[in-house]
Amino acid sequence: MKQFSIVIAGGGSTYTPGIVMMLLDNLDRFPIRTLKLYDNDAQRQETLGKALGIVLSEKAPDIEYLYTTDPEEAFTDVDFCFAHIRSGQYKMRELDEKIPLKHGVVGQETCGPGGIAYGLRSIGDMIELIDIMEKYSPDCWMLNYSNPAAIISEACRHLRPNSKVLNICDMPVGTLRRMSQIIGKTPQDLEVRYFGLNHFGWWTSVKDKEGNEYLPEIRDYVSEHGYLTQIEVDTQHMDQSWQETHKKAKDLLAIDPRFLPNTYLKYYFYPDYEVGQANPEYTRANEVINGREKEVFSTARTILEKGTAEGSEFAIGSHASFIVDLARAIAFNTHERMIMIVENNGAIANFDNDAMVEVPCIVGTDGPEPLNQGIIPGFERALMYQQVTVEKLVVQAYMEGSYQKLWQALTLSKTVPSAKVAKDVLDDLIEANKDYWPVLK
Ligand code: NAD
Ligand code: G6P
Ligand code: MN
């Protein structure tokens, strides 16, 4: 079997160890000859880089391994780049969340003004990363988790239309795992139909391989409990705030009980509730810094102190399995069915061809082939059109350095109550992001 060479961009990410552990678990299905970590923050990456070096030397000493901040070393002779960078790191995520909240607006990593701010920071970094990859390994595929995926994928469509970049999200996978628990199946038993944008979509069908439909049964459960399940379903999406999110799906379902909602719709349907619940002094960024980040880095430090990874394992979850399955689908032409972010081109029949949408695809060596999701109802279509226009305006604002377009983007976002509030939030975001954003005129 062919052996692959992989670089993880954002080597210092809290998700890096989980993905490495998942790769090690899958060596018989997806053999690896080289694994490299790449980050632009040497210090942050070093702790994980060294600890994972110990893990690899114990579990898979034949894999050639290194971590580096040198693009040439990182990207020479690689088949896949798994990317999960965070432009501006957690200190900027914290501001993305806290600045809008100061104005009574949703403060979130990927939705509303926070997502827009993060998008304007990320576009340039992602394009640079793609160019580096293509310079040193022109045939390499980038499987990109970096957020905000909706805005990044629109930027890729515009600025690098021929690049081998696939933007993905683990939320549909994570929620499907919950659905499978609800009906006593495994996610592998199920095939779904789904339409929407990233962090903005709906399941229209959840069937087993024999064709039995489970949507009504799942709907009955969600109408009472949301996606909250009794059993520990994953290592991810388990913190208290995530439990609230899974529960809130109940109120999302109530708006259109025909379909099962993506949890992120709560920021658009119940922004007032979300703002009311939020603590403007302690947001999700703080929860992550004091939770996942501490956990991952303290596991790494324990491994370093003991000089062995025995007894201190990094956790793995559905986030890691999805990206590894995707790499396998491309590497071995498996034609697995996966939800991906792709250019619509008719997949949603009554939606713009040039919109980046999230739909099930068949994935093989040439990448994803979207499956037709038919005609969608007016309610969802109108919401999607509003949101996709926000995303397109952000990318245009980036390319043109246009204050006007960015103000329009914020004004159009369903999370923002007025053009006045949009302007106030925008002016604060500009100040906070002056080291990262293009100059806006
Ligand atoms: P993190 O801050 O722990 O890790 C990000 C790493 O990227 C950091 O080590 C940082 O130094 C590095 N980095 C930043 N800019 C870089 C650049 N230009 N080049 C190379 N490295 C760079 O963040 P995290 O919480 O682990 O999340 C990582 C990313 O994955 C975020 O963008 C997050 O939103 C995303 N994510 C996406 C999904 C999804 O569904 N698409 C799921 C989980 C996480
Ligand atoms: C989900 C989303 C990701 C997002 C993550 C945030 O998995 O699909 O796009 O990055 O949640 O999780 P966090 O734990 O960092 O708040
Ligand atoms: Mn996501």
Side-chain angles (χ1 to χ4, degrees):
M1 228 191 304
K2 187 179 172 192
Q3 295 192 310
F4 296 90
S5 171
I6 294 166
V7 60
I8 300 183
S13 157
T14 57
Y15 291 98
T16 296
I19 289 175
V20 172
M21 298 310 287
M22 184 59 80
L23 285 169
L24 292 179
D25 252 17
N26 280 275
L27 287 175
D28 52 336
R29 304 162 71 229
F30 186 62
I32 297 174
R33 61 187 163 88
T34 309
L35 178 63
K36 307 192 242 190
L37 308 188
Y38 168 73
D39 206 288
N40 63 359
D41 180 338
Q43 215 188 342
R44 183 178 176 88
Q45 178 172 247
E46 188 175 74
T47 314
L48 297 184
K50 278 192 176 150
L52 287 169
I54 293 174
V55 171
L56 279 150
S57 70
E58 291 176 346
K59 287 191 186 278
D62 292 342
I63 296 177
E64 189 191 338
Y65 170 76
L66 63 86
Y67 60 93
T68 180
T69 55
D70 175 27
E72 181 172 358
E73 190 177 23
F75 283 90
T76 299
D77 182 32
V78 284
D79 303 303
F80 289 98
C81 170
F82 292 2
H84 51 207
I85 65 168
R86 182 182 288 288
S87 300
Q89 302 187 327
Y90 288 130
K91 68 172 195 302
M92 292 308 294
R93 174 177 183 173
E94 196 176 341
L95 295 176
D96 291 343
E97 294 168 350
K98 291 183 176 172
I99 289 171
L101 279 175
K102 246 183 29 197
H103 297 271
V105 174
V106 165
Q108 213 281 324
E109 177 195 31
T110 62
C111 302
I116 292 172
Y118 188 14
L120 275 195
R121 286 199 303 280
S122 304
I123 294 171
D125 283 355
M126 281 307 304
I127 297 299
E128 193 185 2
L129 203 62
I130 294 166
D131 290 349
I132 293 170
M133 173 181 91
E134 291 183 337
K135 176 171 176 196
Y136 297 111
S137 286
D139 295 328
C140 185
W141 281 94
M142 183 179 288
L143 312 185
N144 181 48
Y145 260 137
S146 311
N147 267 321
I151 291 168
I152 289 174
S153 57
E154 170 62 12
C156 291
R157 188 189 70 81
H158 236 287
L159 298 167
R160 294 294 179 274
N162 300 316
S163 295
K164 290 163 79 170
V165 182
L166 300 180
N167 293 289
I168 53 172
C169 173
D170 62 15
M171 202 68 237
V173 187
T175 303
L176 185 67
R177 189 179 279 219
R178 288 175 178 274
M179 292 180 192
S180 71
Q181 292 272 351
I182 291 167
I183 55 175
K185 303 262 171 196
T186 68
Q188 292 74 30
D189 296 334
L190 300 175
E191 265 180 6
V192 306
R193 288 173 63 77
Y194 183 95
F195 72 87
L197 313 171
N198 178 237
H199 291 183
F200 204 99
W202 295 264
W203 284 265
T204 59
S205 167
V206 182
K207 287 187 177 175
D208 65 16
K209 296 279 159 75
E210 287 76 50
N212 301 304
E213 180 63 81
Y214 289 91
L215 193 133
E217 190 180 334
I218 300 169
R219 173 171 44 215
D220 288 348
Y221 184 93
V222 176
S223 69
E224 258 186 71
H225 311 284
Y227 297 117
L228 206 58
T229 50
Q230 299 310 314
I231 320 158
E232 276 223 354
V233 283
D234 212 335
T235 51
Q236 212 193 347
H237 307 142
M238 295 303 288
D239 289 344
Q240 186 52 40
S241 63
W242 272 109
Q243 306 294 354
E244 296 297 327
T245 296
H246 302 313
K247 221 192 300 175
K248 192 69 185 164
K250 171 186 167 171
D251 298 331
L252 300 173
L253 178 74
I255 305 162
D256 189 346
R258 285 175 296 183
F259 307 137
L260 298 167
N262 188 301
T263 54
Y264 276 90
L265 289 165
K266 72 174 188 168
Y267 298 109
Y268 303 94
F269 287 147
Y270 297 104
D272 47 354
Y273 173 83
E274 289 305 321
V275 171
Q277 290 286 100
N279 176 354
E281 307 298 324
Y282 194 88
T283 58
R284 178 65 188 153
N286 303 108
E287 203 179 19
V288 171
I289 291 165
N290 293 320
R292 183 173 69 240
E293 190 185 36
K294 272 217 174 97
E295 229 165 81
V296 167
F297 280 83
S298 85
T299 302
R301 276 189 288 271
T302 306
I303 292 172
L304 291 179
E305 279 156 24
K306 292 200 303 193
T308 173
E310 247 164 72
S312 18
E313 293 254 310
F314 288 113
I316 43 179
S318 58
H319 174 86
S321 70
F322 184 46
I323 198 165
V324 174
D325 288 347
L326 176 58
R328 270 193 83 241
I330 293 169
F332 297 115
N333 206 23
T334 64
H335 289 146
E336 193 172 330
R337 183 172 172 142
M338 308 176 117
I339 292 182
M340 311 278 300
I341 303 165
V342 291
E343 191 164 351
N344 185 37
N345 286 328
I348 299 169
N350 55 343
F351 205 61
D352 294 34
N353 280 336
D354 68 351
M356 293 306 288
V357 296
E358 206 167 83
V359 289
C361 298
I362 299 296
V363 187
T365 302
D366 296 332
E369 294 180 59
L371 293 169
N372 201 310
Q373 300 304 300
I375 289 178
I376 60 172
F379 176 63
E380 284 77 10
R381 180 173 179 246
L383 288 161
M384 280 168 59
Y385 192 64
Q386 179 180 22
Q387 177 59 22
V388 85
T389 307
V390 172
E391 291 155 8
K392 283 180 178 290
L393 281 167
V394 173
V395 174
Q396 288 165 19
Y398 174 87
M399 292 190 312
E400 297 164 21
S402 167
Y403 180 97
Q404 194 78 42
K405 288 209 164 147
L406 204 56
W407 184 22
Q408 290 173 1
L410 271 103
T411 303
L412 190 59
S413 173
K414 200 168 158 45
T415 60
V416 179
S418 78
K420 161 80 167 66
V421 177
K423 197 171 206 306
D424 292 345
V425 175
L426 176 56
D427 290 343
D428 279 4
L429 287 173
I430 289 174
E431 181 58 27
N433 283 278
K434 57 179 184 290
D435 295 341
Y436 300 92
W437 282 10
V439 177
L440 301 173
K441 288 192 203 78

